[in-house]
Amino acid sequence: MSAHAPGRSQGIVVVKCGGSGALDVTRLCEDVAERTAAGQKLVLVHGGSAEMERLAGQLGVRLRHLTAPDGVVTRYTDDATLDVLTLALAGRVKPGLLCALDRHKVPAVGLTGLDAGLLRARRRRSVRAVVDGRPTVVRDDRGGRIVEVNAGLLHGLLAAGVVPVVSPPALAEDSEPVNTNADRAAAAVAVALRARCLVFLTGAPGVLTDPSDPSSVLAAYRLPPVGEPAPSWVAGGMRIKLVAAREALLGGVPEVWITDAAAKRPLRVLSGGGPGSSIVLPGVPSP
Ligand SMILES: Nc1ncnc2c1ncn2[C@@H]1O[C@H](COP(=O)(O)OP(=O)(O)O)[C@@H](O)[C@H]1O
Ligand SMILES: [Mg+2]
């Protein structure tokens, strides 16, 4: 972790780009180019579930999921899945972003959590979950939870005028790679950098009270108190995104947004007021 002067990084914005295929890379890069030219320090964090599924199909690897007792779904990462994840994120999604940024004259550096201990995680020893419909204790999951971010590395890149492009995997205690959820990685990076804002770009225009109706988007979504479940209409990948949003807000990130990855100006939320959903933690002042 870096020891940086308080306030030094107040202006940093962390943007999580959806991995599920909704992202319009060209539009994002146009916005990133414009914002960084104006002096905005930006960090991109990406996932890559669509590319992982494509590659897993090409390689004949079956991808599976774990459903925790609270209903949050995460990826079941066995050895073959970890290979697919690393190849898809570091070999396809990240190069795609770097090339698109270069076309827009944005200097960028691609990193996984393995670079200089960027993302350090504690390995999950065993996970209680429902796998393929059966309650199971899973012991071979190669996943972990981020416990440390090398913020100094990112500050150095930002000071050099470079946009860091970050993704899983992370490094476990034994210096082996482990999967970690990209939304939660984005939250951990935003907390470590004391970012002023975390933006999740995703396949929905924000948090919807009816996932099949884009017009049901909430301008502000109030997270339920700890221990209370998310509403039933929050499903799929949105559940863990809201877990990540809570972690960012609890970690002191003052502003968290969920907005449309395919929008004409995906980073318009940075000019204030949406569109998208501002995520609010009751008891923590909203922007
Ligand atoms: N209440 C909801 N509001 C918005 N999206 C929802 C909701 N419930 C489920 N979803 C789904 O969650 C998705 C976002 O999660 P995910 O597919 O993991 O995207 P990403 O790749 O951005 O992480 C949305 O595109 C939508 O299909
Ligand atoms: Mg997701």
Side-chain angles (χ1 to χ4, degrees), residues 16 18-20 49 183 201-204 206-209 211 233-238 241:
K16 157 70 184 6
S20 61
S49 51
D183 291 328
L201 298 178
T202 192
V207 182
L208 308 171
T209 54
W233 37 267
V234 172
M238 190 51 67
K241 212 173 290 299

Side-chain angles (χ1 to χ4, degrees), residues 186-252:
V189 166
V191 169
L193 292 175
R194 299 188 201 174
R196 79 161 169 90
C197 184
L198 168 61
V199 180
F200 292 99
L201 298 178
T202 192
V207 182
L208 308 171
T209 54
D210 174 358
S212 63
D213 176 8
S215 73
S216 70
V217 63
L218 294 169
Y221 174 79
R222 290 168 68 84
L223 288 160
V226 176
E228 254 182 49
S232 58
W233 37 267
V234 172
M238 190 51 67
R239 283 200 160 218
I240 196 129
K241 212 173 290 299
L242 291 172
V243 170
R246 184 190 296 273
E247 289 170 350
L249 290 162
L250 283 174

